[in-house]
Amino acid sequence: MGKVQLQNIKAYAHHGCLPQETNIGSDYLINVSISTDLTKASVSDQLKDTVDYVHINKIVKQEMAIPSKLLEHVAKRIIDRIFLELSSVEKAKVSVSKINPPINGDVERVTVTLNLKRND
């Protein structure tokens, strides 16, 4: 078993419950960690034998472009797509962070994390 991780994917998106959040948008950081068998790829040195992180990045960018009220919903959509399109992935952990959230306080970021196994 092994892991493939993408850290601090930057995206500008329009998520939130408040009208100004969806109208103006804000900056987000997304982290993805997937668990899969990397044994074959470690021997073959072939992209076809591993999980292509370019594909994961594409999924993240596409799902972040669809407005949602809740970060939980965005994270779940990302995981659902990973499981749908990358059959060798057994577990996925996705964190979505809103930078400088509008919560009347000095908060650097708010993060939601989902950690799911295939067929959860």
Side-chain angles (χ1 to χ4, degrees):
M1 187 65 63
K3 288 188 186 237
V4 175
Q5 298 176 326
L6 285 80
Q7 297 177 345
N8 294 325
I9 301 167
K10 295 177 183 175
Y12 190 85
H14 299 270
H15 305 304
C17 294
L18 302 174
Q20 68 264 30
E21 291 178 293
T22 55
N23 289 337
I24 297 169
S26 57
D27 292 313
Y28 293 83
L29 289 176
I30 304 92
N31 290 297
V32 178
S33 176
I34 61 96
S35 296
T36 189
D37 186 352
L38 296 176
T39 307
K40 188 173 181 181
S42 70
V43 174
S44 74
D45 196 28
Q46 298 297 312
L47 181 59
K48 67 180 178 58
D49 294 330
T50 191
V51 174
D52 185 355
Y53 49 79
V54 172
H55 191 147
I56 295 171
N57 187 61
K58 179 184 85 166
I59 290 170
V60 169
K61 295 291 188 162
Q62 289 174 345
E63 292 303 323
M64 288 299 293
I66 302 167
S68 290
K69 291 179 183 171
L70 300 178
L71 299 180
E72 293 88 338
H73 189 251
V74 179
K76 178 69 162 70
R77 285 199 330 259
I78 292 168
I79 290 176
D80 287 347
R81 287 264 316 269
I82 289 170
F83 286 153
L84 178 68
E85 297 177 21
L86 301 167
S87 61
S88 67
V89 173
E90 297 177 24
K91 297 178 187 176
K93 179 179 178 181
V94 173
S95 298
V96 181
S97 300
K98 181 180 278 193
I99 307 303
N100 297 318
I103 59 173
N104 295 324
D106 186 13
V107 177
E108 180 182 314
R109 72 181 75 176
V110 172
T111 303
V112 169
T113 302
L114 285 181
N115 194 357
L116 299 173
K117 295 182 212 172
R118 184 174 289 282
N119 298 322
D120 264 358

